[in-house]
Amino acid sequence: MQLSRRSLLAGTAAVAAAPAALWLAEGSAQAAASYDVAVCEQYRNQIQIYSSAAGWGAPHWVWSPGGGGWANLSDVKFRSTAKFGEVALVAASGGNVGIVRKNASGTQGTGSLLWEASPGSNPHAIERIPDVGAVVAASSGGYLHVYGPSSVNDPSTLRLVQTIDFPGAHGLWYDDVHQRFWAVGQGKATSYAVSGSYRNTRLVGGVTVSIGAGNLGHSLDASYKDSGILLVSHSTAVVAINKTTHAVSTVHANHAVKSFSQHSSGEAFWVQSTGKTYHGDSRNWVNPDVQFFNASGARSFTRGLSYGAEFYKARLHAVGYH
């Protein structure tokens, strides 16, 4: 695939043509890497983990919360905690967000939840702020919801402490390299400093980077190949934001990519909406396959499930922020 590149200065500069994006091609030719991929699969409404190196059959791990406020799982991230080990941060368009103890004995239903909340307005993303133990949820209805704990090691003490208007809020990521919290929504990605701790945790001093006024940001991800950038998928492209200069460059000029992740080997994968519906339901924002790319950015292989999955997001199963 021919890759294009665009540059956009934060907030004000116009998009200009530039040479092809090169950062995906940093590695030399090599055998495909092996790593775990976590998916939001909406037909069975499960968080599932599979290996990239083999055909997808039985998942390595699954979480099945049921329906209601947990319908249409829309985001998952895995983080390491001092008290509970690895946890899964999960959001659902049905209205709920929560923290799942990954190694709990049962993964069916909601018994493994350490905490949950119902911000409503179509939650699309969730992220944890390390050290202070705060959690942020993004609702596409236009809000960022900050939850602060009274005890860092006790998620059950999380309470809503701040709500920020953020049109089209869809993606969140904490950058532990620069200690900045990022959100993406309608036409912009914004970087915040984190102030205070416990119930006094706040997102402050937002610095905005334009992704194009007509573009709705879908997801934010770290590149585990390059800690200097964040990966953003939006309505018309996948772009990389330089965390320091805030320059924006196009990685893939493809529309309707719902999530995009990159492994340390340089390999990457995405879920791109097909605009079609499956199983007689109304979900036209999904895809039955996850598309993988080699370290040079060319399409490599796909992974799907025999029953015809409805993937909404796919993310590297990694506990670090980057």
Side-chain angles (χ1 to χ4, degrees):
M1 171 181 287
Q2 178 66 36
L3 303 183
S4 62
R5 180 182 176 95
R6 294 183 296 176
S7 294
L8 185 65
L9 296 179
T12 58
V15 173
L22 299 176
W23 65 271
L24 274 176
E26 293 175 357
S28 58
Q30 57 184 355
S34 177
Y35 44 87
D36 281 352
V37 176
V39 294
C40 297
E41 200 287 285
Q42 294 192 343
Y43 178 58
R44 291 187 175 176
N45 203 47
Q46 296 177 335
I47 301 299
Q48 304 165 343
I49 298 177
Y50 299 95
S51 170
S52 67
W56 289 3
H60 295 179
W61 183 81
V62 62
W63 186 61
S64 301
W70 284 109
N72 287 342
L73 292 167
S74 56
D75 191 35
V76 62
K77 298 179 182 73
F78 293 88
R79 299 294 180 237
S80 180
T81 67
K83 184 175 180 180
F84 300 103
E86 186 176 345
V87 299
L89 309 176
V90 186
S93 292
N96 290 357
V97 297
I99 301 175
V100 180
R101 188 170 187 173
K102 183 173 177 290
N103 294 324
S105 58
T107 58
Q108 305 303 309
T110 56
S112 53
L113 279 165
L114 296 168
W115 167 81
E116 66 178 312
S118 300
S121 297
N122 200 8
H124 262 66
I126 183 172
E127 177 61 297
R128 183 175 185 267
I129 303 173
D131 301 324
V132 300
V135 170
V136 184
S139 293
S140 66
Y143 305 99
L144 303 181
H145 311 275
V146 182
Y147 298 87
S150 59
S151 172
V152 172
N153 293 319
D154 186 356
S156 70
T157 66
L158 286 163
R159 300 291 184 272
L160 182 66
V161 297
Q162 183 185 21
T163 299
I164 299 171
D165 289 338
F166 201 95
H170 264 66
L172 300 172
W173 198 269
Y174 181 75
D175 166 21
D176 64 348
V177 178
H178 301 91
Q179 290 78 54
R180 301 285 295 184
F181 192 95
W182 286 79
V184 68
Q186 184 63 54
K188 68 178 182 179
T190 300
S191 164
Y192 295 94
V194 179
S195 172
S197 59
Y198 302 100
R199 295 274 172 81
N200 293 317
T201 302
R202 301 290 186 274
L203 300 182
V204 299
V207 177
T208 292
V209 179
S210 175
I211 60 171
N215 291 322
L216 175 62
H218 287 297
S219 72
L220 271 173
D221 248 301
S223 163
Y224 289 90
K225 175 69 175 178
D226 182 354
S227 63
I229 62 173
L230 279 177
L231 298 167
V232 181
S233 68
H234 62 60
S235 305
T236 60
V238 177
V239 300
I241 298 178
N242 185 296
K243 295 177 184 178
T244 303
T245 67
H246 293 168
V248 179
S249 56
T250 298
V251 178
H252 286 275
N254 293 72
H255 73 285
V257 176
K258 298 301 185 180
S259 67
F260 184 86
S261 294
Q262 188 187 30
H263 182 252
S264 59
S265 66
E267 292 181 14
F269 52 92
W270 74 21
V271 174
Q272 182 182 31
S273 168
T274 64
K276 302 176 182 179
T277 58
Y278 304 88
H279 300 290
D281 59 41
S282 61
R283 300 184 188 95
N284 64 354
W285 51 82
V286 297
N287 194 311
D289 296 302
V290 177
Q291 175 69 60
F292 288 76
F293 300 83
N294 64 26
S296 296
R299 292 178 188 263
S300 182
F301 59 89
T302 61
R303 292 281 185 254
L305 297 171
S306 60
Y307 63 80
E310 295 181 353
F311 296 124
Y312 179 63
K313 284 182 183 173
R315 176 163 281 131
L316 191 69
H317 174 214
V319 299
Y321 296 84
H322 208 42

